[in-house]
Amino acid sequence: MAKRKRGVEGENMSSNGAHGQISKIPRLETHLASSNVSLPTILQIIVGSYEKVLHGVTATIFQSTSDVSKTELGVDFADTFLFNAHGSAIRCLALSPPSSSDPSQNQKIILASGSTDERINLYHISTSPPPLESDKGPLIPTLAGNRIKENPRNRELGSLLHHSSTISALYFPTRSKLLSAAEDNTLAFTRTRDWTVLSTIKAPTPKAHGRPSGDTAPPGLAPAGVNDFAVHPSMKLMVSVGKGEKCMRLWNLVTGKKAGVLNFEKELLRSIGEGKWGSGEGRKVEWNSDGEEFVVGFERGAVVFGMDSKPKCRILPSPSTKIHQMHFVALNEKKHETSRVLALSTENGQILFYPTADVSKVPDLKNAVPACKPIGQMGGTTEGLKSRIKDFEILKAPSLDGSDVSLFIITGSSGGTIHVWTLDEAELLAKTHQSTESGSKEPGHSPNVNGSDTGHQAAESKKVRKIGRLLGIYETSNRITCLKAFIMSSQSDMRDTVHQDGADQSSDQSTVTAEESEGDASSS
């Protein structure tokens, strides 16, 4: 019986989400066949959700130069994995460094996911792109109409059960170590070679006196647990913030002991919107890439601290809104100089960019912390982002034409949508310099008693220009809680990446074990 020929129209139909409308888009293979098209950039996006689902999506960003006078960027989404990973909501994700520094070799990345079910699940994620349809036959049939490109190199490793409460934060300082924090007030250090817990740090439990229980603790008890932690780039110092504590704790990672406790002053908490009825606890903490400063995020504001642990500047979005995630962006300038920009996501669906070097002085008040001015915003209701951005990731890659460095910003909202944006590094640098020059000319202004600036700050928020460009939207149909992403390894020929799956799977365990043991020996 002869096989029925597949229709040409069926091949050109795809969808950018499970509930999105099916529309005709150019096939990726058509762009790769053209001689004047550069290789695409492939992003591996991983999201966790309240529905216990771990969802992997690849975003292939390509450009079409069929018309010499016009160059367009396109994005093609495809599912790589989708399954129930935990017994309850997924709270955090972490990605390890690649197993090898040589991009020509088959590399593996360890994915760790933490949940409210007290488990840490571990997976191996391949950095090689999934096979093209021309290599492995047609697309997998699906009723939703979305593309599915399963990567045969991805596999599950197991689970860790050394915590007794909700997992709140995960981080890989190196490939040989995994750091985890939970609401049982412990921070654990795990060796990835044999997944043995090497050490555990016990954070003090806050006293119940004067602490509101709220909805973060059982009846009659005080809220407890580590909210977040950040490791210094030197791997010798760690900062943590916890529930029910108006302070941050410094830990010496060489000795594994407490290095100090720094309390937040009342005036500082008032200036970022933490008034009388605020908890005053730090929600997020992040170091910049060179380790010169770190930021502590609160419910509606953030404070940037220097290496001396003194506040340098404060951030208070206007209009007032909750902050969910923060990341530093290192912008490389000429003469080996670096500009530091802080990006944060908000409740109203925006990504705001603040240069930490540009602050407005407050000459009228003594010991007042200067405020940072936003230089750009991304998203919002005009771009279809109406729900809060729970998490986002910023990736650096050379632009497809090779002329500049592009920033790919991937956002995950609680509404279940993934947005992929692109932003030129030169554009963000230019706005940073413009903000610095204008800030040096404008006189300072005084904050009011509650910490929010008088009409001046509201007027400034209206002047913030929108930057970046939206490339595509993907609907996951799950409420996203956390997100991680990385750039997959580029190959000279994408069609030569999939012909050794059997041999790779048989020798994968021994190769990764040897590489991890070498990394563990070098780190120790």
Side-chain angles (χ1 to χ4, degrees):
M1 183 176 179
K3 291 185 178 179
R4 185 175 61 181
K5 206 169 186 180
R6 192 178 180 185
V8 178
E9 185 178 0
E11 294 181 353
N12 293 333
M13 303 288 283
S14 67
S15 172
N16 282 346
H19 300 291
Q21 296 182 353
I22 299 177
S23 58
K24 292 184 179 181
I25 65 171
R27 285 174 59 87
L28 178 61
E29 292 84 351
T30 306
H31 293 276
L32 290 177
S34 178
S35 60
N36 59 345
V37 172
S38 58
L39 287 176
T41 300
I42 303 178
L43 311 178
Q44 175 68 68
I45 306 170
I46 305 159
V47 296
S49 62
Y50 286 108
E51 287 78 14
K52 307 168 284 187
V53 172
L54 194 62
H55 193 174
V57 180
T58 57
T60 305
I61 301 172
F62 57 91
Q63 68 176 357
S64 173
T65 56
S66 56
D67 187 1
V68 180
S69 60
K70 189 176 183 181
T71 301
E72 296 181 353
L73 284 178
V75 60
D76 182 37
F77 294 99
D79 292 332
T80 53
F81 54 86
L82 174 67
F83 60 96
N84 287 334
H86 289 271
S88 56
I90 300 176
R91 290 285 301 272
C92 53
L93 297 172
L95 292 174
S96 73
S99 58
S100 174
S101 58
D102 187 5
S104 62
Q105 297 181 2
N106 181 25
Q107 302 182 34
K108 291 283 186 178
I109 285 180
I110 302 176
L111 167 67
S113 62
S115 171
T116 56
D117 61 0
E118 307 173 5
R119 289 176 174 264
I120 300 175
N121 288 350
L122 303 167
Y123 309 90
H124 260 167
I125 305 296
S126 176
T127 60
S128 300
L132 296 175
E133 295 87 338
S134 58
D135 292 314
K136 305 298 285 187
L139 291 170
I140 300 176
T142 171
L143 295 176
N146 52 318
R147 290 174 177 262
I148 298 178
K149 293 182 181 179
E150 185 178 3
N151 198 330
R153 294 193 177 100
N154 298 339
R155 60 188 180 88
E156 185 176 359
L157 293 178
S159 300
L160 301 177
L161 302 172
H162 54 268
H163 284 291
S164 60
S165 186
T166 299
I167 311 299
S168 57
L170 295 168
Y171 176 65
F172 284 93
T174 62
R175 185 174 173 81
S176 60
K177 298 292 187 298
L178 169 64
L179 273 65
S180 57
E183 292 186 359
D184 56 1
N185 272 6
T186 59
L187 295 103
F189 298 80
T190 306
R191 183 171 56 197
T192 61
R193 182 179 61 184
D194 50 5
W195 301 111
T196 302
V197 178
L198 300 177
S199 177
T200 301
I201 296 177
K202 180 69 175 179
T205 302
K207 296 181 181 179
H209 178 69
R211 309 284 186 184
S213 59
D215 59 350
T216 61
L221 298 178
V226 180
N227 282 332
D228 196 13
F229 65 90
V231 179
H232 191 266
S234 65
M235 307 297 176
K236 297 180 180 180
L237 178 68
M238 180 175 66
V239 181
S240 68
V241 289
K243 295 182 182 295
E245 293 184 325
K246 298 182 179 181
C247 65
M248 56 182 173
R249 299 185 179 274
L250 305 179
W251 304 92
N252 188 342
L253 296 184
V254 178
T255 61
K257 296 182 180 180
K258 181 180 68 175
V261 179
L262 300 175
N263 295 318
F264 302 130
E265 298 180 357
K266 290 184 179 180
E267 292 77 10
L268 179 63
L269 294 177
R270 288 197 191 115
S271 66
I272 54 174
E274 294 286 336
K276 180 179 179 181
W277 308 110
S279 64
E281 64 184 35
R283 308 296 179 97
K284 295 288 183 180
V285 59
E286 181 90 7
W287 282 96
N288 65 350
S289 58
D290 54 5
E292 293 296 328
E293 60 187 17
F294 64 95
V295 59
V296 177
F298 298 86
E299 185 177 12
R300 296 181 180 273
V303 179
V304 179
F305 294 85
M307 276 296 295
D308 54 358
S309 299
K310 294 182 179 179
K312 295 177 58 178
C313 59
R314 59 184 173 89
I315 295 173
L316 188 64
S318 179
S320 180
T321 180
K322 290 184 179 180
I323 295 176
H324 291 284
Q325 188 57 275
M326 306 176 300
H327 288 300
F328 275 102
V329 186
L331 304 177
N332 296 324
E333 300 186 41
K334 297 180 180 179
K335 299 180 181 179
H336 305 284
E337 296 179 356
T338 302
S339 293
R340 293 184 292 269
V341 176
L342 178 65
L344 53 86
S345 63
T346 62
E347 180 84 9
N348 54 9
Q350 289 182 338
I351 301 288
L352 300 175
F353 296 88
Y354 291 86
T356 56
D358 174 33
V359 296
S360 11
K361 305 289 183 181
V362 187
D364 299 335
L365 298 179
K366 295 182 179 179
N367 301 326
V369 180
C372 291
K373 299 179 181 178
I375 59 173
Q377 66 177 7
M378 185 179 292
T381 55
T382 57
E383 300 289 347
L385 264 173
K386 300 179 181 179
S387 57
R388 55 185 176 179
I389 299 179
K390 289 290 291 183
D391 204 351
F392 69 98
E393 196 76 19
I394 301 177
L395 302 175
K396 268 189 178 185
S399 58
L400 295 180
D401 56 2
S403 60
D404 202 352
V405 176
S406 296
L407 300 176
F408 294 110
I409 302 174
I410 305 99
T411 63
S413 64
S414 57
T417 56
I418 298 174
H419 289 67
V420 179
W421 311 76
T422 181
L423 174 64
D424 291 335
E425 189 179 38
E427 178 184 358
L428 196 56
L429 270 174
K431 291 188 176 295
T432 304
H433 293 317
Q434 291 176 5
S435 178
T436 305
E437 293 175 359
S438 61
S440 61
K441 296 179 181 180
E442 293 180 0
H445 56 280
S446 303
N448 60 16
V449 178
N450 296 326
S452 59
D453 298 342
T454 57
H456 184 78
Q457 185 178 5
E460 279 188 352
S461 64
K462 297 180 181 179
K463 299 178 182 178
V464 180
R465 296 181 180 180
K466 293 194 174 183
I467 58 177
R469 187 163 65 91
L470 179 63
L471 294 181
I473 304 174
Y474 187 85
E475 177 65 42
T476 64
S477 71
N478 294 314
R479 295 172 297 165
I480 297 174
T481 58
C482 48
L483 179 146
K484 288 294 178 182
F486 63 91
I487 299 177
M488 307 195 79
S489 58
S490 59
Q491 305 289 340
S492 58
D493 188 356
M494 293 178 58
R495 296 175 177 83
D496 294 337
T497 60
V498 191
H499 299 296
Q500 298 177 351
D501 292 336
D504 289 341
Q505 291 180 359
S506 61
S507 61
D508 178 65
Q509 182 65 34
S510 60
T511 304
V512 172
T513 304
E515 290 171 350
E516 289 174 354
S517 61
E518 292 176 3
D520 185 69
S522 62
S523 62
S524 61

